[in-house]
Amino acid sequence: MKSLQIAIPLVAAGLVVASLSFVSAAIAQEAKPPREGETGGSFVDNFDGLDLKRWYISDGWSNGDHQNCIWSKRNLKASNGELEMVFDQRLIKDREYACAELQTRKTFGYGTYEARVQSAQGSGLNSAFFTFIGPRDKKPHDEIDFEVLGKNLNEVQVNQYVSAKGGNEKMADVPGGAQTKFNDYAFVWQKDRLRFYVNGALVNDVTDPAKLPQNPQKIFFSLWGTEKLSDWMGRFHYDGPQTMRVDRVAFTAEGDKCQFPESVACKLN
């Protein structure tokens, strides 16, 4: 997520963080921290149903004052082989809108992460596929992001954080638009390299050791909105419910066989 030199009070699982110079894709998370050393293995999920042993649905809080919606389990379902995440107008607590987030219960380490996503549309919305770990899990804040910002649906922003330090944003083209069809987003995370792919094409290659996350992370999908971060995500405008869809997500641990024929992991040396 883009580094923002602003001070925003954030509430993370009951902990108030008074002033941060960035806004991360995942500050608050309520799932129980994974046990030490409990990392997940390779998998493919086609969302024929929602495996609650693998996934945790965020419900009843937001990631901070910058977010104009509350995560709601009502705004997320697996239907017809797709994960559907909805942003809509519904008063919850002190927010006028409801949004959706899904996170794995386990963390995952080096390997290939892939998702087939059709983004929501609407200025001021963020459709995200990312990994994250942080202080609530007794780890430094590491993160790897794909984020489609509603102000420009012809691009996706890739980024990574290392010990809470971001500033690595890069925009990559999404031919035909992120909202018009499913697009394949993937990153290959290794100890000495991080590569980002859009529809099989390499769009960013990071080899600077200072910019490479080191800690196993949870996998997230989220759809949320803002009225405060308009310079980054666009001026918010609500024009009815919007839906982000995920057709497939996969993780291939480093050294394992690829999980499906079209996988980026099948083409790596």
Side-chain angles (χ1 to χ4, degrees):
M1 180 169 283
K2 184 176 181 179
S3 296
L4 298 167
Q5 301 304 315
I6 53 178
I8 298 178
L10 301 177
V11 180
L15 176 65
V16 177
V17 183
S19 177
L20 296 178
S21 62
F22 60 88
V23 178
S24 168
I27 294 295
Q29 52 177 334
E30 292 291 321
K32 291 182 179 179
R35 297 188 185 95
E36 186 70 26
E38 184 185 18
T39 56
S42 300
F43 74 90
V44 177
D45 196 330
N46 293 304
F47 292 112
D48 295 320
L50 196 57
D51 182 357
L52 295 181
K53 292 182 179 179
R54 173 177 292 146
W55 299 103
Y56 178 86
I57 304 172
S58 301
D59 184 58
W61 73 92
S62 76
N63 283 11
D65 289 343
H66 62 284
Q67 187 174 309
N68 68 359
C69 57
I70 297 289
W71 305 128
S72 173
K73 62 184 179 181
R74 286 176 50 184
N75 285 51
L76 185 153
K77 67 177 180 179
S79 176
N80 299 319
E82 295 176 6
L83 173 68
E84 296 182 359
M85 307 178 74
V86 175
F87 182 98
D88 63 6
Q89 190 168 29
R90 179 160 52 89
L91 182 64
I92 305 178
K93 297 182 178 178
D94 61 340
R95 309 296 164 89
E96 189 177 350
Y97 301 96
C99 49
E101 180 182 74
L102 189 69
Q103 56 182 283
T104 55
R105 295 181 182 274
K106 292 184 178 181
T107 59
F108 297 83
Y110 295 129
T112 302
Y113 295 73
E114 303 176 84
R116 188 166 172 80
V117 180
Q118 183 177 12
S119 299
Q121 56 185 334
S123 184
L125 298 185
N126 185 321
S127 301
F129 159 54
F130 62 100
T131 57
F132 171 87
I133 201 71
R136 189 175 186 274
D137 299 306
K138 299 180 180 179
K139 295 291 184 181
H141 170 189
D142 281 0
E143 184 174 335
I144 304 172
D145 299 323
F146 280 94
E147 296 175 284
V148 175
L149 311 177
K151 71 177 183 181
N152 184 356
L153 297 168
N154 294 310
E155 295 181 323
V156 61
Q157 178 182 282
V158 300
N159 191 18
Q160 74 274 5
Y161 283 81
V162 179
S163 295
K165 183 178 180 180
N168 303 303
E169 302 87 355
K170 182 175 180 178
M171 304 307 296
D173 290 338
V174 183
Q179 84 288 9
T180 60
K181 58 183 175 62
F182 285 102
N183 290 278
D184 293 300
Y185 305 120
F187 63 86
V188 181
W189 176 32
Q190 298 170 299
K191 184 176 181 179
D192 57 358
R193 192 177 186 187
L194 174 61
R195 286 169 282 178
F196 293 87
Y197 295 82
V198 175
N199 293 325
L202 180 66
V203 297
N204 197 22
D205 192 348
V206 182
T207 56
D208 182 349
K211 296 183 177 183
L212 295 172
Q214 300 295 322
N215 294 284
Q217 300 168 50
K218 296 178 182 178
I219 301 170
F220 284 76
F221 293 98
S222 67
L223 171 62
W224 59 281
T226 184
E227 294 170 43
K228 294 190 174 183
L229 307 180
S230 56
D231 287 348
W232 179 48
M233 287 168 50
R235 186 175 297 277
F236 178 79
H237 175 70
Y238 183 74
D239 191 26
Q242 301 296 332
T243 302
M244 169 183 169
R245 294 181 169 85
V246 184
D247 182 55
R248 177 180 60 222
V249 60
F251 168 70
T252 305
E254 196 170 42
D256 282 3
K257 293 181 179 179
C258 57
Q259 303 296 295
F260 56 97
E262 303 84 8
S263 171
V264 167
C266 297
K267 304 172 186 177
L268 297 175
N269 294 328

